[in-house]
Amino acid sequence: MAERTSTIADPGLADEGDRRIAWVEKYSPLLTSLKDGELRDGALAGKRIALAIHLEAKTAYLALVLAEAGADVTVGGSNPATTRDDVCAALVRRGVAVHATHGASADQWETELERVLESEPEIIVDDGAELVSRLVARKPELVANVLGSSEETTTGVVKLRAMERDGALTWPAIAANDAYCKHLFDNRYGTGESTVSAILKVTNLLAAGKVVVVIGYGWVGKGVAKYFDGMGARVVVSEVDEVKALEAVADGHRAASLDEACEVGEWFVTCTGGIDAIRGVHFERMRDGALVANAGHYGHEIDLDALRELATEVVEARGDVTEYRLRDGRRIHVVADGELVNIAAGDGHAVEIMDLSFSVQALSAHYLARNHERMRPGLNRLPEEIDRGIARAKLATLGASVDVLTPRQREYLESWR
Amino acid sequence: MATPAESVVLDARLADAGNRKIDWAAQHSPVLNALRGSLLEPGSLAGRRVGVIVPLEAKTAYLALVLRDAGAEVAVTGTSPAYVQDDVAAGLASRGVTVYAVAGVPAEEFERYYERVLEFRCDALIDDRAELVKLAHTKRADLVESICGASEETTSGVTRLRAMEREGVLRFPVVAANNARCKHLFDNRYGTGQSTIASILRNTNLFMAGKEVVVVGYGWCGKGIARRAKGVGARVTVVEVDAVKALEAYADGFEARSLDECAGRGDVFITSTGVPDAIRREHFEGMKDGVILANAGGLDVEIREATLRELAVEEREVRPHITEFTMADRRRLHLLAHGNLVNIAPADGHPVEIMDLTFAVQALACRHVLLHHEELAPGVHEFPAELDEEIARLKLASLGMGVGALTREQAAFLETWE
């Protein structure tokens, strides 16, 4: 194997990084119990794992748990805006190879991801399919090494499905995102809480009474809408799927097309997973002082090029808030340059949520290591009994519990007569 | 006009960053902006000297600027070295307001700043927790003569002023700005509620949903905190010493308990009582491992750091603004911001729009005592209802909303008794 090297900004930041990781460890009872239990069976020993997820303290703890299980872990960042240099330094000091720097240019980031791939991974823990798509497209000679991969996000699963359709996915990939213990909590409550918290933090404005337009009502949009409702905002949901729009109404929100909502909205949060959710036609009609933020996976849900074309001046109004002054005098405020607001302008999802998500990831990697030969190439689900096991373990840490069916009840449910 | 007195700030070069924050506050303060063209138009406070003490950040700074632009000479300090943003202090000083405030200086030095404000020979004071009023009646009674009145920001301060009034020592009229409806119904409740929960989330990076959150004290602040904690999915228990308020908490959908009962089951404790030692030694001793302790009340001793220190065998900072106290039995208790106000010390304080209302009350209360002090007896006075209503009307208008009006018949009905 090649010599373990790392590409990071400043090894001197390791102490602060360690302190952040220690806080995460304290509120991650599941990962800690996996580290001390199930993952010690040797299945991951010596396995080369490449991991690219938003590189902050919680991700670092996942990397350390996998390393503790004996894996040879190499880490990259899934987005240079969300990489924390102090956490990278701490990981390197603890023997994990890292190629990631905060604020890296697009070219630099590509180089970093390439170096991660050069570790010749057998298992890939991916976010947005960044590593998988690059490996297949640019390093076809490395495909044969890969035993399997697991994917963190809805966006990544959509990409993998496209790869599968095109016959490009030749190994078993676990859609970690689709596990109950991932998307039902991480995408909904995790994104909801952290998105609202980040917007309040960077704006210092009042949510109560504000008309907040949530664009996209998938799991992320549902959470964002729910938490804004909890802060007293008046929530309007814009959807392209009529069933989801109806669901939004049943959840107590208003549903309106963005063409209608752009004139009444004060804050706009994109949660679509697509592109150009907010476009020039919308900026042209927004109220003075409107604020836009993105909670979706990529920074291109808000068409900033269109906004720039409308603007005569662009100034920083507060840290992480950019003010675009338009020709007609209106001001539009963009939070964190349209990057994922809860991570770029906050600390990301709550620790306890990522304890669930990363338990799914750790057990997916473990499952791949043990069972890759028996799995079919393409997208797979994490087996349901593992998923439910995570929920049971989490309930136990909360002092909560779950009932079991009586034999009679089970029999009733299984009979058809 | 006297030469502007010299300001005391950390670093004048921070002014640009401070001014940017002040401009953001100004942009989201429609009520103060409307008043600048009416009741507080240029010249309306010409030649008056006003001393202001408030947590010194962007919104406060904008209040000082509004008063300055109305013609007053203004001297400002912060309420405590924990609640000063040095860049905002520098920005304010750069715009011709006299500022005495440096973050983190020793308490004795900070008290000198209070005196410097009084030495400014103020006609009126905008006070917080009655700090300046108290000083002008005790240590610096030599400076009380020039003062024709004051207005008071907090519940704690009004309580203190009533005690002074009862003892017959209060020498000038004070408007209880806190009691204005446009203040306490919004600032204490929605302002403290949102900013307290937002600060706890951002500083801990923890998940609130399903957590047992214990709110100690169910006044306006406690009501707002409980409501927002519930809004982010927490299970809320309220601790009150007033049976009616405890019952109110119950009717609002919360559990009401004594702290003795719930100390052992809470995950997060938030105090908003206005009294010292809201959470005491015996409670710390029974708490779970990993609890979060935060204070949102008027005093920094509602959760006393010194008590935790006495009980702890180890103390360290585990994240910025979070101190971990490890007990002899290895339980870890986490105190936010050393027990200082959690929404201000490690955060930006109340939302701008809330302080726009609050400071509109303060600015008009100040104007009221300056213009009418001769008609007002020494003592605590309520904020004039017509000004309160005017502020609400201006705010509604800025939102594009309106208010109904009674018909003549309805008004007459309400005024008859036969």
Side-chain angles (χ1 to χ4, degrees), chain A residues 307-334:
Chain A
L307 183 55
R308 219 167 278 122
E309 270 174 36
L310 293 170
T312 54
E313 201 182 347
V314 180
V315 295
E316 196 185 20
R318 261 174 80 89
D320 287 320
V321 182
T322 309
E323 179 174 295
Y324 290 74
R325 295 183 183 152
L326 309 190
R327 274 183 284 280
D328 56 12
R330 284 177 307 126
R331 295 160 296 188
I332 309 275
H333 297 117
V334 179

Side-chain angles (χ1 to χ4, degrees), chain A residues 19 23 26-27 58 193 203-207 210 231 316 318 323 331 333 347-352, chain B residues 20 24 27 59 194 204-208 211 228 290 317 319 324 334 348-353:
Chain A
R19 207 166 58 135
W23 179 257
K26 186 154 42 179
Y27 291 94
K58 287 154 284 186
E193 181 189 81
T203 63
N204 193 220
L205 296 178
L206 181 72
K210 284 272 182 319
M231 282 289 153
E316 196 185 20
R318 261 174 80 89
E323 179 174 295
R331 295 160 296 188
H333 297 117
D347 276 339
H349 286 20
V351 179
E352 298 93 326
Chain B
R20 223 168 38 156
W24 178 258
Q27 195 179 118
K59 291 151 289 191
Q194 175 183 307
T204 62
N205 193 219
L206 294 179
F207 189 52
M208 275 287 205
K211 287 256 189 322
R228 292 297 174 240
E317 195 186 42
R319 264 175 78 92
E324 175 184 273
H334 300 115
D348 278 336
H350 285 16
V352 180
E353 299 94 328

Side-chain angles (χ1 to χ4, degrees), chain A residues 314-392:
Chain A
V314 180
V315 295
E316 196 185 20
R318 261 174 80 89
D320 287 320
V321 182
T322 309
E323 179 174 295
Y324 290 74
R325 295 183 183 152
L326 309 190
R327 274 183 284 280
D328 56 12
R330 284 177 307 126
R331 295 160 296 188
I332 309 275
H333 297 117
V334 179
V335 183
D337 290 324
E339 294 289 343
L340 200 44
V341 64
N342 61 334
I343 309 187
D347 276 339
H349 286 20
V351 179
E352 298 93 326
I353 287 290
M354 296 316 290
D355 186 31
L356 279 173
S357 296
F358 286 159
S359 293
V360 169
Q361 285 287 20
L363 290 174
S364 295
H366 182 253
Y367 186 81
L368 284 166
R370 287 173 59 120
N371 300 293
H372 62 95
E373 285 170 343
R374 287 187 288 276
M375 296 168 73
R376 64 170 194 90
L379 271 169
N380 289 256
R381 269 204 65 151
L382 181 68
E384 187 159 332
E385 65 274 17
I386 297 180
D387 204 354
R388 293 189 180 279
I390 294 171
R392 266 196 306 276

